[in-house]
Amino acid sequence: MSTTTELLKGAAELFPDEVVTQAHVRHLELPGAGTFALITLDNGLDHTKPTTFGPQSLANLNATIDQVEAEAKDGKITGVGITGKPFIFAVGADLKGVELLKRHEDALAIGKGGHDVFKRLSGLAVPTFAYYNGAAMGGGVEVGLHCTYRTVSKALPAFSLPEVFLGLVPGWGGCVLLPNLIGADRAVSVIIENSLNQNKQLKGQQVFDLGIADAIFEGADFLEQSLLWTASVLKGDTEVVRADVDRGEAWDQAVQRGKAIADGKVHGAAPAAYRALDIIAAAKNGDLRQGFDAEDQALADLIMGGELRSGIYSFNLVQKRAKRPAGAPDKSLARPVTKVGVVGAGLMASQLALLFARRLEVPVVLTDIDQARIDKGVEYVHGEIDKLLLKGRVNQDKANRLKGLVSGHLDKATAFGDADFVIEAVFEEMGVKQQVFAEVEAVVPEHAILATNTSSLSVTEMASKLKHPERVVGFHFFNPVAILPLLEIVRAEKTDDASLATAFSVAKSLKKTAVLVKDAPAFVVNRILTRFMGEIQNVIDEGTPVETAEKAVEPLGLPMSPLVLLELVGPAIGLHVSETLHGAFPERFTVSPNLAAVVKAGKRGFYVYDSGKPELDPEVKALLKQGDSVLTEEQVRDRVLDAVAQEIGLMLDEGVVAEAQDIDLCLITGAGWPFHLGGITPYLDREGVSERVNGKKFLAPGVASVPA
């Protein structure tokens, strides 16, 4: 038995529930080019269950390569190709198996097993071809990189090396082969930049333009055209010419660019990007064996580290838990929504109107206190649709239809008389919102849902003066509405199941990640962020320099610093939410006099950007009144994390959400919290904060960590 077979057999025993991919081989006669062996990767399921590589799947491919290797050696075939089932090439390693690994040597076996199988494709006695017919990610991309030539379908929707995003490195050849194929700078874009940019995907044309594929063909007859092209290559009629790779200073500059990108995204807090860059840097000498060994070692180290386990945890939250919201009523209770009303025509209301029109494709009517505001809101929506048209996201016919769906009217009775779902997005003041709901309830049908986009106010109190409070639901979006996926759906004290089910149904149609939250002050994201920001503000008020307070939380690798985030949210909104939470929990939430002074002065943030980098605004600096208690970065970080851990513990005790997993899902999808942290609770567990503050961890062993 070969070493590879033994490795894979041992790994397969650790992963009995693998969805196994077969590697079917068939023989074709290519015109003028002899007999050709075509391998098709297929797990026997449709495109909704993409093909993956677990240990048994790798063993199956290895056995198929045994067959074609013998045929090539005997002169029975002139070439070997590899492709996938309809719409899917292959999407890489099976992460469900990686989660189960408990020992470094088992993780090392996964790396070596993949390398040992894939590199055989480059060692055959005949040329090898990869035909990227559909989605290709991770190991799916890498198996093709081991081939002599590659073609790609113009219809290919998603192509990436997402490992760094999850906390791994492309460990089956990607870090070594890709820079040696297309140059270090382009490889850094694919492996580091795209991955850290929320796992940005390439389309077929981009794959070809980067030089990853040697030819590109239309999706309709992709395989047929690829085989004809293959025949012409084998016959010598087509010569594949690739650009020379610059192995001089440009390679080193590319690695430095990658480090700058990683620093900007994770601030040194997550190892995967830096391990990948070290391998890319070393790959400059073209020594593949040395590079593959480095990939194996990095893969094993990272598999046994907390970052990957948190990354997989995040992936499972977004891909699985998000699709089955905890506590959501039976979807059969949901009522149809054929018309939507929006109270308000400001920026937030207009963004909501655009989203409802695009996703639900039903009439959407805005109202406001005067016609000029309504006209401005409708004009904004129409303008955004025109932008979609210019970008080619919609055609002219679709643009006209969408514009026709969005209108405005001063009279609420005319606007909402036949609406099924009305959402308010007016000033964040309880009396104003209660008045709006009273006016809307008087004119809408009895079955209509009344939704509020409040970020912190009590939905129960908002509904308390209505005849039918059971149809009021919180529907809290995050700004920018078009980008952030989270939708906090708030069940008030009297919200009934039909109204809640309808809210979840609408959220799904809007393509949002809906999380059910209790009607508690500021719900989930704003409550945690306000406690987080509140402690930062407190230490500044007490005397810690702004720069020290900001740098203290850099090791978390957050997408932006706390005060830059405050600028994005708006100091006035931040102050309002802190006042709301101070009213509810005065012992834990403070109202910063310095923040109040900044808001009173009309400042939009703490920083100016005259040099291109954020610098403390001299006018803000003059406003700050600080004490004389100066903390170190470590002391600030401990204080902030302790506060967050305490708040999350209290929220779980109060039943604000079903489980800690929902807290993390909210922070990832509503606040851009890093994937590699797993949201926040795995990080707090890993750093010992949870036990220090609450006496226990938030998550069970193995949920976002190496199994015990």
Side-chain angles (χ1 to χ4, degrees):
M1 188 182 286
S2 71
T3 306
T4 303
T5 305
E6 288 172 2
L7 274 176
L8 294 173
K9 186 173 184 291
E13 288 170 359
L14 297 173
F15 184 21
D17 298 326
E18 176 186 352
V19 177
V20 177
T21 296
Q22 303 297 332
H24 306 290
V25 64
R26 56 188 170 127
H27 295 87
L28 310 168
E29 293 302 319
L30 297 184
T35 303
F36 185 78
L38 179 65
I39 299 167
T40 301
L41 303 170
D42 191 348
N43 61 7
L45 303 168
D46 68 16
H47 66 279
T48 62
K49 301 288 185 186
T51 303
T52 53
F53 292 118
Q56 186 57 52
S57 304
L58 287 171
N60 289 343
L61 178 58
N62 196 49
T64 297
I65 295 173
D66 284 343
Q67 177 188 337
V68 297
E69 182 180 57
E71 291 172 347
K73 192 176 179 182
D74 293 344
K76 293 179 180 177
I77 54 174
T78 57
V80 175
I82 187 164
T83 192
K85 67 183 183 182
F87 309 111
I88 303 288
F89 181 77
V91 298
D94 192 323
L95 293 177
K96 294 194 297 295
V98 173
E99 284 179 89
L100 302 174
L101 298 176
K102 298 179 183 180
R103 301 186 310 160
H104 190 277
E105 53 263 46
D106 293 331
L108 195 62
I110 289 291
K112 286 185 175 298
H115 271 132
D116 288 350
V117 175
F118 287 0
K119 69 186 181 185
R120 294 183 69 196
L121 290 165
S122 60
L124 295 179
V126 293
T128 50
F129 299 77
Y131 307 131
Y132 291 125
N133 64 302
M137 298 173 201
V141 168
E142 290 170 300
V143 70
L145 294 177
H146 285 270
C147 294
T148 323
Y149 305 101
R150 285 154 296 281
T151 68
V152 67
S153 167
K154 277 188 183 178
L156 182 144
F159 183 103
S160 65
L161 289 170
E163 286 84 354
V164 167
F165 178 63
L166 293 170
L168 278 175
V169 299
W172 286 342
C175 289
V176 178
L177 296 174
L178 192 63
N180 278 290
L181 175 67
I182 62 174
D185 195 62
R186 288 180 168 188
V188 163
S189 293
V190 176
I191 295 169
I192 306 296
E193 188 171 19
N194 288 0
S195 197
L196 290 179
N197 188 14
Q198 293 299 304
N199 191 20
K200 181 182 176 185
Q201 300 293 317
L202 298 170
K203 306 288 188 190
Q205 187 66 50
Q206 294 168 303
V207 173
F208 176 69
D209 292 342
L210 283 168
I212 299 172
D214 302 302
I216 184 168
F217 301 108
E218 295 290 346
D221 57 351
F222 169 70
L223 186 56
E224 181 184 355
Q225 292 302 319
S226 292
L227 290 169
L228 290 172
W229 180 83
T230 297
S232 70
V233 170
L234 292 173
K235 288 187 293 183
D237 295 344
T238 294
E239 182 184 359
V240 174
V241 179
R242 297 179 184 136
D244 290 335
V245 171
D246 187 333
R247 298 182 185 278
E249 193 178 334
W251 194 292
D252 302 329
Q253 288 173 345
V255 173
Q256 288 308 309
R257 182 174 77 88
K259 285 184 176 168
I261 292 166
D263 287 344
K265 291 288 188 179
V266 301
H267 311 285
Y274 303 98
R275 292 293 294 266
L277 286 163
D278 288 345
I279 299 168
I280 293 170
K284 180 179 177 180
N285 64 13
D287 186 334
L288 299 187
R289 182 172 178 177
Q290 181 186 51
F292 292 165
D293 287 345
E295 286 181 342
D296 287 341
Q297 199 59 52
L299 206 60
D301 291 348
L302 291 167
I303 284 173
M304 300 313 293
E307 185 198 2
L308 171 70
R309 304 304 172 129
S310 294
I312 294 174
Y313 168 76
S314 296
F315 183 82
N316 288 336
L317 289 179
V318 171
Q319 294 296 319
K320 296 175 183 175
R321 191 175 184 90
K323 291 170 183 171
R324 293 186 290 276
D330 191 314
K331 59 186 178 182
S332 67
L333 298 173
R335 294 190 285 260
V337 172
T338 60
K339 184 179 179 180
V340 172
V342 181
V343 186
L347 181 58
M348 187 56 149
S350 300
Q351 289 184 68
L352 295 180
L354 175 65
L355 180 69
F356 277 97
R358 283 194 70 196
R359 299 293 187 218
L360 269 61
E361 297 193 26
V362 300
V364 179
V365 187
L366 297 100
T367 65
D368 213 310
I369 57 175
D370 60 56
Q371 191 62 45
R373 291 173 194 247
I374 293 170
D375 292 344
K376 186 178 179 182
V378 173
E379 187 180 318
Y380 169 86
V381 177
H382 287 188
E384 291 299 303
I385 293 168
D386 284 334
K387 288 179 188 176
L388 293 172
L389 177 63
L390 285 172
K391 292 176 184 174
R393 304 274 294 277
V394 296
N395 60 27
Q396 186 67 60
D397 181 53
K398 182 74 172 283
N400 291 343
R401 277 189 288 122
L402 289 176
K403 284 186 189 179
L405 290 172
V406 180
S407 62
H409 208 288
L410 259 176
D411 180 52
K412 289 186 177 66
T414 304
F416 303 151
D418 56 349
D420 305 303
F421 190 99
V422 179
I423 184 167
E424 68 76 21
V426 300
F427 185 65
E428 193 78 344
E429 202 278 313
M430 182 59 74
V432 174
K433 290 184 183 287
Q434 285 180 330
Q435 181 186 342
V436 162
F437 268 169
E439 292 171 1
V440 172
E441 186 182 45
V443 299
V444 296
E446 282 193 11
H447 69 270
I449 305 299
L450 304 184
T452 171
N453 185 44
T454 183
S455 59
S456 60
L457 299 178
S458 166
V459 180
T460 299
E461 187 181 346
M462 212 177 292
S464 63
K465 297 181 180 179
L466 298 178
K467 292 176 184 174
H468 294 286
E470 71 277 359
R471 56 174 169 169
V472 176
V473 63
F475 215 61
H476 179 218
F477 290 88
F478 289 78
N479 214 351
V481 170
I483 295 172
L484 289 175
L486 180 64
L487 183 52
E488 290 178 337
I489 295 184
V490 187
R491 180 169 208 159
E493 282 181 17
K494 295 189 177 178
T495 307
D496 63 23
D497 282 353
S499 299
L500 200 61
T502 305
F504 274 99
S505 173
V506 169
K508 186 176 182 180
S509 297
L510 294 174
K511 298 185 178 176
K512 291 294 180 184
T513 297
V515 175
L516 179 63
V517 305
K518 185 181 176 182
D519 188 18
F523 316 126
V524 176
V525 172
N526 284 345
R527 181 164 165 182
I528 293 171
L529 289 185
T530 303
R531 186 78 196 272
F532 177 84
M533 301 282 287
E535 284 305 315
I536 294 284
Q537 196 70 58
N538 286 343
V539 299
I540 293 171
D541 291 352
E542 291 163 15
T544 299
V546 169
E547 183 182 348
T548 302
E550 289 268 83
K551 285 189 72 177
V553 292
E554 277 190 0
L556 273 74
L558 300 175
M560 62 189 75
S561 75
L563 293 183
V564 173
L565 174 63
L566 180 66
E567 191 174 306
L568 181 70
V569 171
I573 293 173
L575 180 63
H576 171 74
V577 177
S578 67
E579 288 170 342
T580 300
L581 282 161
H582 176 68
F585 310 115
E587 71 284 3
R588 299 195 311 279
F589 288 86
T590 56
V591 178
S592 164
N594 281 319
L595 179 58
V598 168
V599 172
K600 187 177 180 182
K603 304 300 292 184
R604 298 186 62 174
F606 277 62
Y607 293 125
V608 289
Y609 297 86
D610 298 337
S611 65
K613 293 182 178 180
E615 295 176 6
L616 190 61
D617 184 337
E619 293 180 18
V620 170
K621 190 173 183 180
L623 291 170
L624 294 182
K625 293 180 179 176
Q626 294 180 277
D628 55 9
S629 175
V630 180
L631 301 183
T632 65
E633 288 179 21
E634 187 177 356
Q635 288 171 323
V636 172
R637 186 162 56 253
D638 285 348
R639 188 162 149 183
V640 169
L641 293 176
D642 284 3
V644 170
Q646 181 194 32
E647 202 60 38
I648 293 171
L650 291 167
M651 290 167 69
L652 292 172
D653 289 345
E654 293 167 24
V656 175
V657 290
E659 293 182 289
Q661 283 90 330
D662 294 311
I663 299 269
D664 294 318
L665 180 58
C666 284
L667 286 173
I668 291 165
T669 57
W673 219 270
F675 242 62
H676 69 263
L677 289 187
I680 183 63
T681 66
Y683 180 82
L684 296 172
D685 285 354
R686 200 160 64 238
E687 296 297 311
V689 181
S690 310
E691 288 179 285
R692 182 170 73 227
V693 174
N694 300 321
K696 60 181 180 181
K697 291 185 176 182
F698 288 113
L699 301 168
V703 173
S705 56
V706 177

